[in-house]
Amino acid sequence: ENAERILISLRPQELVDVIKKAYLQEEERENSEVSPREVGHNIYILALQLSRHNKQLQHLLKPVKRIQEEEAEGISSMLSLNNKR
């Protein structure tokens, strides 16, 4: 019930945008007592809990696989196999 209330007030995409914004503000931080990255992390934890009740939020929080990284890992593993021979 509480999760539904929160998700009515703050749509899933808005919640994810707030997390990203807080993460990026860390670089701009000037002598503040509270770290924006820490706030973003706490919001992320809340979002994970809320995602149990909302498939859209669940989808938004899934990590995106980067094809280039996967290809680089594949190439580096092939190179290491060749070096062992």
Side-chain angles (χ1 to χ4, degrees):
E1 189 176 309
N2 289 334
E4 289 174 12
R5 286 187 209 165
I6 293 170
L7 288 168
I8 288 170
S9 300
L10 192 62
R11 285 175 256 142
Q13 185 61 55
E14 291 174 334
L15 191 57
V16 171
D17 291 342
V18 167
I19 293 168
K20 289 178 185 178
K21 185 177 179 182
Y23 182 82
L24 294 173
Q25 281 181 350
E26 183 69 21
E27 296 169 0
E28 302 168 8
R29 180 180 133 180
E30 292 180 21
N31 299 332
S32 66
E33 291 181 25
V34 180
S35 162
R37 187 170 285 174
E38 191 173 327
V39 172
H41 179 73
N42 289 334
I43 296 170
Y44 174 74
I45 292 169
L46 172 64
L48 282 177
Q49 297 296 320
L50 294 173
S51 71
R52 296 177 185 174
H53 305 277
N54 187 288
K55 289 190 185 269
Q56 181 187 5
L57 183 57
Q58 214 172 42
H59 177 72
L60 290 169
L61 292 176
K62 283 186 181 179
V64 177
K65 289 185 180 179
R66 295 193 172 105
I67 295 172
Q68 291 176 346
E69 288 178 1
E70 291 173 357
E71 289 176 357
E73 288 177 13
I75 291 169
S76 64
S77 65
M78 287 171 37
L79 292 173
S80 65
L81 285 175
N82 287 335
N83 290 336
K84 290 179 183 176
R85 290 182 185 169

